[in-house]
Amino acid sequence: LSNSAWAFATAGHAAPAVFDAVGEQAMRRPEEFQAQSVANTLWAFATAGRTDRGVFDALGRQVVRQAHAFKPQELANTAWAFATASQSAPAVFQAISEQATAKVRRFAPQELANTIWAYAVSGHASPRLFDAVGREVARRAGEFKAMELSN
């Protein structure tokens, strides 16, 4: 399911029936969505401009339950998706913040930039995350592209 949504979103192909079907299944059986499926589905919905509250709520609960299993890219993409879709989800942002802070050294520069952008845009304060990312950017500034540093 998540791969189908991801493919349609990546191709920029509007497919309301596909997103409706994926969203319905995500809300019915969110426990079947593991970290990568959660991140890919949420990214696809946000990319496609779908802000279906039920989908974000159901998969957001999975984020909170499984955040420890998320890889840096999955954490970054999930934070980006919630921010892009203008979803207020304090528990989700808190869970991502805790894991991102703990795993900050494993993040690629783009993942750090996307994560911190999501927190800034969504208005979720996370001083520990910002401090950790700030230290990591200072330590690895030479690895960042100009856009990653400026965002």
Side-chain angles (χ1 to χ4, degrees):
L1 288 171
S2 66
N3 287 342
S4 296
W6 179 89
F8 278 95
T10 299
H13 186 81
V18 170
F19 283 94
D20 289 347
V22 171
E24 181 180 329
Q25 294 306 310
M27 289 185 290
R28 277 191 185 169
R29 41 191 192 139
E31 69 283 349
E32 293 181 25
F33 285 70
Q34 300 304 311
Q36 185 176 3
S37 295
V38 169
N40 286 352
T41 301
L42 292 169
W43 179 91
F45 270 72
T47 298
R50 298 285 302 244
T51 59
D52 309 47
R53 185 72 191 179
V55 173
F56 278 86
D57 285 349
L59 294 181
R61 288 189 295 274
Q62 283 299 95
V63 173
V64 172
R65 283 195 278 278
Q66 300 178 14
H68 65 279
F70 277 55
K71 296 175 184 168
Q73 183 178 8
E74 296 159 352
L75 292 166
N77 288 355
T78 300
W80 179 90
F82 272 87
T84 298
S86 299
Q87 299 287 327
S88 176
V92 170
F93 279 99
Q94 180 62 34
I96 292 172
S97 175
E98 290 170 5
Q99 290 303 311
T101 300
K103 299 173 183 177
V104 71
R105 286 184 171 251
R106 294 175 28 206
F107 276 64
Q110 185 66 51
E111 295 161 354
L112 289 170
N114 288 353
T115 301
I116 213 72
W117 174 89
Y119 280 80
V121 166
S122 66
H124 285 278
S126 183
R128 287 186 64 229
L129 176 62
F130 274 79
D131 289 346
V133 171
R135 285 189 300 274
E136 199 61 15
V137 170
R139 186 176 77 79
R140 297 169 40 197
E143 297 174 29
F144 284 72
K145 295 176 184 168
M147 183 65 77
E148 295 162 347
L149 288 169
S150 66
N151 284 346

